Amino acid sequence: MRKSHPVRRAVLAGAATVSGIVLLLSLKPASDPGSAAGGAVPPLAAQSPQGGRGAGAGTVTGDAASTQYGPVQVRLTVSDGKITRAEAVQAPKGGQSDRVTADAVPKLNQAAVAAGSADIDAVSGATYTSAGYVKSLQSALDKAAAAAGSNAGAGAAEEGAGAGQGTQVLTGDAAQTQYGPVQVRVTVSGGKITGVETLQAPKGGRSDQVTADAVPKLDRAAVAAGNADIDAVSGATYTSAGYKQSLQSALDRAGG
């Protein structure tokens, strides 16, 4: 039997160690996962959703304008005095109105943003819808202008300023419901609710109809009651519950 030479064993052991180190180095990733192509974590986009709290930013809903084919109501997002978004929260529905609304409303929304005012042309084939849209749009702009003037005159009308004094604009927490979030903004003056605006409400499919019917009723009920102890709207149980929860959180801020 041949004996292994000590020097030969040492050489073989050293070669094995070097091979192992080379193998480990070859397995190390070339860079951090975050810097790999497609793996970088993007910066969070600055969000100012409906009712955003950025300076000069906010959402305002115009009065519902009645037309021969149904109400039209417009909601605007305004930032630094400019319209950044327009959407119709109510528009004629059913039968031929579905097609007219689907064609006209996006055009009217785009026109409102582009013009920055209610001086926009009617969409061909949608005369009544266009007229109602312009009317509601103008009322939203009037409200935005009035709010801007009130804030400038008051100097500090944001939430948390001078509890029990002057005018406060308070945004409640977004309440999650089975069909989507509900968020309410309240204007309180002299200790009383003088205005309520729904910033978020369930959308899509059946929810559009439920929201269009329930939200105006809930807004009126909140102003009339002066608190969150209001009745749920029939057929809108989840929306009503979320509305009351967000409304109460806004009023809690007024109390604090």
Side-chain angles (χ1 to χ4, degrees), residues 6-22:
V7 174
R8 179 181 178 83
R9 286 201 303 271
V11 170
L12 291 174
T17 300
V18 171
S19 298
I21 292 173
V22 170

Side-chain angles (χ1 to χ4, degrees), residues 93 203-210:
K93 291 184 177 181
K203 291 184 178 182
R206 171 73 175 163
S207 293
D208 287 339
Q209 182 180 341
V210 173

Side-chain angles (χ1 to χ4, degrees), residues 96-198:
Q96 177 71 9
S97 292
D98 287 339
R99 185 186 65 78
V100 173
T101 292
D103 175 67
V105 167
K107 296 177 181 177
L108 292 166
N109 290 338
Q110 292 169 3
V113 174
S117 70
D119 185 16
I120 58 177
D121 294 332
V123 173
S124 178
T127 305
Y128 291 101
T129 297
S130 298
Y133 186 100
V134 168
K135 184 176 180 180
S136 182
L137 171 60
Q138 186 60 62
S139 75
L141 290 170
D142 291 342
K143 290 179 181 180
S150 174
N151 288 341
E158 277 300 311
E159 55 191 76
Q165 299 179 6
T167 300
Q168 295 175 274
V169 180
L170 307 134
T171 303
D173 298 329
Q176 301 299 322
T177 77
Q178 183 174 335
Y179 298 101
V182 180
Q183 188 174 30
V184 177
R185 172 183 289 158
V186 182
T187 301
V188 179
S189 182
K192 296 181 179 180
I193 297 176
T194 57
V196 183
E197 181 181 1
T198 302

Side-chain angles (χ1 to χ4, degrees), residues 5 19 33 38-39 52 60 75-76 82 92 94 113 141 143 145 159 172 180 218 220-221 234-235 240 243 246:
H5 197 284
S19 298
V60 61
R75 175 182 292 150
L76 299 178
K82 296 181 180 180
V113 174
L141 290 170
K143 290 179 181 180
E159 55 191 76
L218 292 167
R220 292 194 293 268
S234 177
S240 298
Y243 185 101
S246 183

